[in-house]
């Protein structure tokens, strides 16, 4: 498409800037939904199936002896954070319950718990390293708090993913010891995540339909204005000008060409605008996982750009030839 035609299209689109802005907002919402669905699918497998619905290494309930064992490998600051997050139940079963907290507070508690849980999980198979044995060694002066923290620092070489899995397994074992229904917990998580996915799908479908409708209406208005401008221009031609352009060519310009311009406007508003939004969102999502796979996105974007350029190089000459054939047909 010629540069002058594109300039004229964008000039018409400026009159529809409010609608274009609304379409942009809808496309951003659609991209967010589209990019979130794979994460929920992954959560269903990783958390719902493999981890029995346990999302993080922050138990809703835990026993006093378990809390004592974990606090052996925590700093005083971490112990204070954890004890502020839990309250003792009114019953006499020595159980602590998690207090409702914000995501930031839960993240801090999880950071305090993760490594000690993995370490205690390893030490549980060694009777000489039981909680009572460690507390007795501390009381007798055979071991200091720094020695326990040094044991914790030895876990620094273990991968974060492995430590996280060990911590979740520890929470699962704690729930089993408390007699909680893990099956119900898993089912509730699967239903909850599935409902979120269904809601996102409905929202994505709704905004996609709305964006398509607005794009089509905007393109139709652009086509209407173009037809009006072309008609007014053509009827002002003299006979000489009419013969120079030829009636067939003018018919093509007034019908087929404007129809193609409408299609281009729809593609601009639905696909061309959506592609960079989806690409940027995908890069942000991948970067947030910290898996080092960002280069795959970069390669994919580069390949797509090359394919588009190749298609344009092949298609534009054929498009011009098609225009000539349409003129001849008219």
């Amino acid at each position: 498409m010629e540069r002058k035609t594109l300039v004229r299209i964008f000039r018409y689109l400026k009159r529809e800037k409010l609608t274009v802005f609304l379409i942009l907002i809808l496309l951003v919402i659609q991209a967010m939904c589209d990019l979130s669905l794979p994460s929920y699918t992954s959560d269903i497998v990783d958390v719902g199936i493999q981890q029995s619905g346990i999302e993080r290494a922050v138990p809703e309930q835990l026993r006093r002896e378990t809390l004592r064992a974990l606090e052996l490998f925590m700093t005083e600051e971490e112990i204070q954070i954890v004890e502020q997050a839990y309250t003792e139940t009114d019953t006499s079963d020595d159980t602590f319950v998690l207090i409702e907290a914000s995501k930031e507070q839960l993240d801090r508690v999880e950071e305090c718990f993760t490594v000690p849980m993995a370490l205690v999980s390893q030490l549980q198979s060694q009777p000489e390293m039981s909680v009572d044995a460690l507390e007795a060694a501390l009381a007798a002066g055979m071991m200091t708090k720094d020695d326990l923290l040094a044991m914790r620092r030895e876990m620094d070489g273990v991968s974060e993913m492995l430590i996280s899995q060990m911590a979740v397994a520890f929470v699962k074992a704690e729930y089993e010891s408390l007699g909680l229904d893990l099956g119900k917990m898993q089912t509730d998580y699967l239903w909850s995540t599935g409902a979120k996915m269904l809601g996102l799908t409905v929202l994505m479908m709704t905004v996609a339909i709305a964006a398509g409708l607005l794009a089509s209406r905007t393109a139709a208005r652009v086509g209407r204005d173009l037809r009006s401008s072309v008609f007014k221009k053509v009827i002002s031609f003299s006979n000489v000008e009419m013969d120079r352009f030829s009636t067939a060519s003018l018919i093509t310009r007034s019908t087929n060409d404007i129809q193609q311009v409408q299609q281009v406007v729809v593609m601009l508003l639905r696909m061309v605008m959506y592609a960079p939004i989806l690409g940027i969102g995908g890069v942000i999502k991948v970067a947030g996982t910290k898996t080092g796979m960002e280069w795959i996105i970069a390669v994919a974007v580069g390949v797509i750009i090359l394919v588009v350029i190749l298609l344009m190089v092949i298609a534009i000459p054929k498009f011009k030839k098609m225009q000539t054939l349409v003129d001849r047909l008219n």
Side-chain angles (χ1 to χ4, degrees), residues 155-317:
M155 299 288 290
D156 292 342
V158 184
S159 69
E160 292 184 9
M161 184 175 295
L162 180 59
I163 290 178
S164 178
Q165 291 175 349
M166 293 172 65
V168 169
F170 181 90
V171 174
K172 183 178 178 180
E174 181 67 14
Y175 285 164
E176 290 175 344
S177 299
L178 288 168
L180 299 181
D181 190 350
L182 290 176
K184 182 179 183 302
M185 188 180 300
Q186 183 180 44
T187 303
D188 290 344
Y189 179 84
L190 292 174
W191 276 110
S192 173
T193 307
K196 291 177 183 177
M197 291 182 68
L198 182 60
L200 281 176
T201 303
V202 172
L203 177 61
M204 183 173 65
M205 182 176 62
T206 303
V207 297
I209 292 172
L213 175 62
L214 291 174
S216 299
R217 291 174 65 90
T218 302
R221 286 195 290 267
V222 170
R224 177 199 62 193
D225 295 340
L226 276 174
R227 286 189 184 91
S228 176
S229 299
V230 170
F231 179 75
K232 291 177 182 178
K233 185 68 175 178
V234 169
I235 62 175
S236 67
F237 285 169
S238 64
N239 291 334
V240 176
E241 290 174 323
M242 194 76 71
D243 292 337
R244 183 162 64 90
F245 287 106
S246 81
T247 303
S249 179
L250 292 175
I251 292 173
T252 304
R253 302 292 88 78
S254 303
T255 56
N256 183 66
D257 285 7
I258 293 178
Q259 184 67 29
Q260 293 194 31
V261 167
Q262 282 188 224
Q263 293 176 359
V264 168
V265 171
V266 173
M267 291 177 63
L268 282 173
L269 296 177
R270 287 291 293 116
M271 298 175 63
V272 177
M273 285 176 57
Y274 186 61
I277 294 172
L278 194 63
I280 294 171
V283 171
I284 294 173
K285 278 282 187 180
V286 173
T289 60
K290 299 179 181 179
T291 55
M293 304 294 285
E294 295 87 349
W295 65 272
I296 294 180
I297 299 295
V299 171
V301 171
V303 170
I304 291 173
I305 292 174
L306 289 176
V307 171
V308 170
I309 293 174
L310 180 62
L311 290 175
M312 290 180 65
V313 170
I314 295 174
I316 288 177

Side-chain angles (χ1 to χ4, degrees), residues 16 44 57 59 61-62 67 69 74 77 102 106 110 114 127 151 175 184 211-212 216 225 240 242 246 264 269 314 318:
E16 305 286 342
I44 284 178
Q61 300 180 34
L62 77 166
L67 184 60
M74 295 183 191
E77 182 181 356
S102 63
L106 291 176
E110 184 174 22
T114 305
M151 293 173 61
Y175 285 164
K184 182 179 183 302
S216 299
D225 295 340
V240 176
M242 194 76 71
S246 81
V264 168
L269 296 177
I314 295 174
K318 296 184 181 296

